[in-house]
Coordinates of all heavy atoms in Angstrom, one line a residue:
N18 N -19.4 6.7 -8.0 CA -19.5 6.0 -9.3 C -20.5 4.8 -9.1 O -20.5 3.9 -9.9 CB -18.2 5.4 -9.7 CG -17.2 6.6 -10.1 OD1 -17.6 7.5 -10.9 ND2 -16.0 6.5 -9.7
G19 N -21.3 4.8 -8.0 CA -22.3 3.9 -7.8 C -21.9 2.6 -7.1 O -22.6 1.6 -7.1
K20 N -20.6 2.5 -6.6 CA -20.1 1.3 -6.0 C -20.0 1.5 -4.5 O -19.0 2.2 -4.0 CB -18.8 0.9 -6.6 CG -18.2 -0.4 -6.0 CD -16.9 -0.7 -6.6 CE -16.3 -2.0 -6.0 NZ -15.0 -2.3 -6.5
I21 N -20.9 1.0 -3.7 CA -20.9 1.1 -2.3 C -20.1 -0.1 -1.7 O -20.3 -1.2 -2.2 CB -22.3 1.2 -1.7 CG1 -23.1 2.3 -2.2 CG2 -22.3 1.2 -0.1 CD1 -22.5 3.7 -1.9
S22 N -19.3 0.1 -0.7 CA -18.5 -0.9 -0.2 C -19.3 -2.1 0.3 O -20.3 -1.9 1.0 CB -17.6 -0.4 1.0 OG -16.9 -1.5 1.6
E23 N -19.0 -3.3 0.0 CA -19.7 -4.5 0.5 C -19.3 -4.9 1.9 O -20.0 -5.7 2.5 CB -19.4 -5.7 -0.5 CG -18.0 -6.1 -0.5 CD -17.8 -7.3 -1.5 OE1 -18.4 -8.3 -1.3 OE2 -17.0 -7.2 -2.4
F24 N -18.3 -4.2 2.4 CA -17.8 -4.6 3.8 C -18.1 -3.5 4.8 O -18.1 -2.3 4.4 CB -16.3 -4.9 3.7 CG -15.9 -6.0 2.8 CD1 -15.1 -5.7 1.7 CD2 -16.5 -7.3 2.9 CE1 -14.7 -6.7 0.8 CE2 -16.1 -8.3 2.0 CZ -15.3 -8.0 1.0
P25 N -18.4 -3.8 6.0 CA -18.7 -2.8 7.0 C -17.6 -1.9 7.4 O -16.4 -2.3 7.2 CB -19.2 -3.6 8.2 CG -19.4 -5.0 7.7 CD -18.5 -5.2 6.5
M26 N -17.9 -0.7 7.9 CA -16.9 0.2 8.4 C -16.7 0.2 9.9 O -15.7 0.7 10.4 CB -17.2 1.6 8.0 CG -17.5 1.8 6.5 SD -16.0 1.4 5.5 CE -16.8 1.1 3.9
D27 N -17.7 -0.4 10.6 CA -17.6 -0.4 12.1 C -17.6 -1.8 12.6 O -18.0 -2.8 11.9 CB -18.9 0.3 12.7 CG -20.1 -0.5 12.4 OD1 -20.6 -0.5 11.2 OD2 -20.7 -1.2 13.2
H28 N -17.0 -2.0 13.8 CA -16.7 -3.3 14.3 C -18.0 -4.1 14.6 O -18.1 -5.3 14.3 CB -15.8 -3.3 15.5 CG -15.6 -4.6 16.1 ND1 -14.6 -5.5 15.6 CD2 -16.1 -5.3 17.2 CE1 -14.6 -6.6 16.3 NE2 -15.5 -6.5 17.2
A29 N -19.0 -3.4 15.2 CA -20.2 -4.1 15.6 C -20.9 -4.8 14.4 O -21.3 -6.0 14.5 CB -21.1 -3.2 16.3
T30 N -20.9 -4.1 13.3 CA -21.6 -4.7 12.1 C -20.7 -5.8 11.5 O -21.2 -6.8 11.0 CB -21.8 -3.6 11.0 OG1 -22.6 -2.5 11.6 CG2 -22.6 -4.1 9.8
L31 N -19.4 -5.5 11.5 CA -18.4 -6.5 11.0 C -18.6 -7.8 11.8 O -18.7 -8.9 11.2 CB -17.0 -6.0 11.2 CG -15.9 -7.0 10.8 CD1 -15.8 -7.3 9.3 CD2 -14.5 -6.5 11.3
E32 N -18.6 -7.7 13.1 CA -18.8 -8.9 13.9 C -20.1 -9.6 13.7 O -20.2 -10.9 13.5 CB -18.7 -8.6 15.4 CG -18.7 -9.8 16.4 CD -18.5 -9.4 17.8 OE1 -19.1 -8.3 18.2 OE2 -17.9 -10.1 18.5
R33 N -21.2 -8.9 13.6 CA -22.5 -9.5 13.5 C -22.6 -10.2 12.1 O -23.1 -11.3 12.1 CB -23.6 -8.4 13.5 CG -25.0 -8.9 13.4 CD -26.0 -7.8 13.7 NE -26.0 -6.8 12.6 CZ -25.6 -5.6 12.8 NH1 -25.1 -5.2 14.0 NH2 -25.6 -4.7 11.8
R34 N -22.1 -9.6 11.1 CA -22.2 -10.3 9.8 C -21.2 -11.5 9.7 O -21.6 -12.5 9.0 CB -21.9 -9.2 8.7 CG -23.0 -8.2 8.5 CD -22.7 -7.2 7.4 NE -22.3 -7.9 6.1 CZ -21.9 -7.2 5.1 NH1 -21.8 -5.9 5.1 NH2 -21.6 -7.8 3.9
A35 N -20.1 -11.4 10.3 CA -19.2 -12.5 10.3 C -19.7 -13.7 11.1 O -19.6 -14.9 10.7 CB -17.8 -12.1 10.9
M36 N -20.4 -13.4 12.2 CA -21.0 -14.5 13.0 C -22.1 -15.2 12.2 O -22.3 -16.4 12.4 CB -21.6 -13.9 14.3 CG -20.7 -13.4 15.3 SD -19.6 -14.8 16.0 CE -18.1 -14.6 15.1
A37 N -22.7 -14.5 11.3 CA -23.8 -15.1 10.5 C -23.3 -16.1 9.5 O -24.0 -17.0 9.0 CB -24.6 -14.0 9.8
V38 N -22.0 -15.9 9.0 CA -21.5 -16.8 8.0 C -20.5 -17.9 8.6 O -20.3 -18.9 7.9 CB -20.7 -16.0 6.9 CG1 -21.7 -15.0 6.3 CG2 -19.5 -15.3 7.5
L39 N -20.0 -17.7 9.8 CA -19.2 -18.7 10.4 C -20.0 -19.9 10.8 O -21.1 -19.7 11.4 CB -18.4 -18.1 11.5 CG -17.2 -17.3 11.2 CD1 -16.7 -16.6 12.5 CD2 -16.1 -18.1 10.6

Side-chain angles (χ1 to χ4, degrees):
N18 294 316
K20 183 182 177 182
I21 301 296
S22 175
E23 62 181 303
F24 302 119
M26 306 300 160
D27 65 287
H28 178 79
T30 306
L31 175 70
E32 181 177 41
R33 184 174 65 252
R34 288 180 53 185
M36 288 297 99
V38 300
L39 282 170

